[in-house]
Amino acid sequence: MRNLAISSRAIMNSAVRAAVLPPRSRPLSSVPKPVPKEGAAQQPIPMEKKARTDHRAIANSVSEKIISTRDPDTGWMTGLWEHAEKNRLYQVDLCQDLFGEWLLVDTWWRKNTAFGGRKKTYLGFHLTPEQVREAFYAASLRRSRHRYQPIDWRTYR
């Protein structure tokens, strides 16, 4: 019985609204479209596409260069990258600790300041050439994507 009272009240309200409120002059969906200007060009101007950078090829060549600079006595390797706009440097070293375990040391810093950071990753006692290549390839790929340029660490400074 109560539901019947609500529905009859809703019917009464809609009837009162229809009798009191005037009808709309136009429907809401018919919004006029803007008229194009006569002197304006109708064809869109094509945007120039930027040449895509092949970061994988760059990382592959840079990692091969780093591996070729292996120190003949110790077997250590170093890669160095520079971001000229931001005055930042990034260095990756593959070296051995006191006990002969290989570790990858990532070092980054800003020029002319003492601020920077270092991350050490232990790779184990027996290192394969594939692991070395993969480690330097990953570092080279990340630096290339962040617009760092490789520089020779032997001639830096």
Side-chain angles (χ1 to χ4, degrees):
M1 196 61 145
R2 187 172 183 173
N3 290 339
L4 183 60
I6 292 173
S7 63
S8 62
R9 186 178 297 154
I11 293 171
M12 287 295 284
N13 286 339
S14 64
V16 169
R17 283 192 199 116
V20 175
L21 298 174
R24 291 188 172 141
S25 60
R26 63 181 172 86
L28 291 176
S29 62
S30 63
V31 177
K33 294 182 179 179
V35 179
K37 297 178 182 178
E38 293 180 20
Q42 297 297 326
Q43 296 178 354
I45 300 171
M47 296 194 56
E48 294 182 25
K49 290 187 177 180
K50 292 172 66 176
R52 294 188 65 128
T53 305
D54 189 6
H55 295 289
R56 292 180 181 161
I58 293 170
N60 207 3
S61 67
V62 169
S63 63
E64 291 300 323
K65 285 180 187 175
I66 293 170
I67 292 170
S68 68
T69 62
R70 169 178 253 167
D71 186 287
D73 296 331
T74 61
W76 294 6
M77 290 177 261
T78 299
L80 183 63
W81 291 266
E82 178 182 28
H83 198 298
E85 295 172 10
K86 296 182 180 179
N87 289 329
R88 292 185 181 174
L89 291 165
Y90 187 85
Q91 182 175 342
V92 175
D93 295 309
L94 180 71
C95 55
Q96 287 179 310
D97 64 1
L98 185 62
F99 303 106
E101 187 173 7
W102 288 99
L103 76 135
L104 192 71
V105 180
D106 298 331
T107 311
W108 57 92
W109 68 95
R110 184 181 295 268
K111 289 182 183 178
N112 303 324
T113 65
F115 300 111
R118 178 176 286 174
K119 181 179 88 168
K120 295 180 183 178
T121 306
Y122 286 91
L123 301 175
F125 288 100
H126 305 289
L127 200 58
T128 63
E130 291 81 26
Q131 288 176 317
V132 172
R133 189 171 288 109
E134 182 181 324
F136 281 112
Y137 175 79
S140 300
L141 184 63
R142 184 160 177 83
R143 294 302 110 207
S144 175
R145 287 185 175 159
H146 288 269
R147 297 186 303 165
Y148 279 74
Q149 298 299 318
I151 55 176
D152 191 8
W153 61 273
R154 295 170 290 193
T155 60
Y156 180 73
R157 293 191 205 245

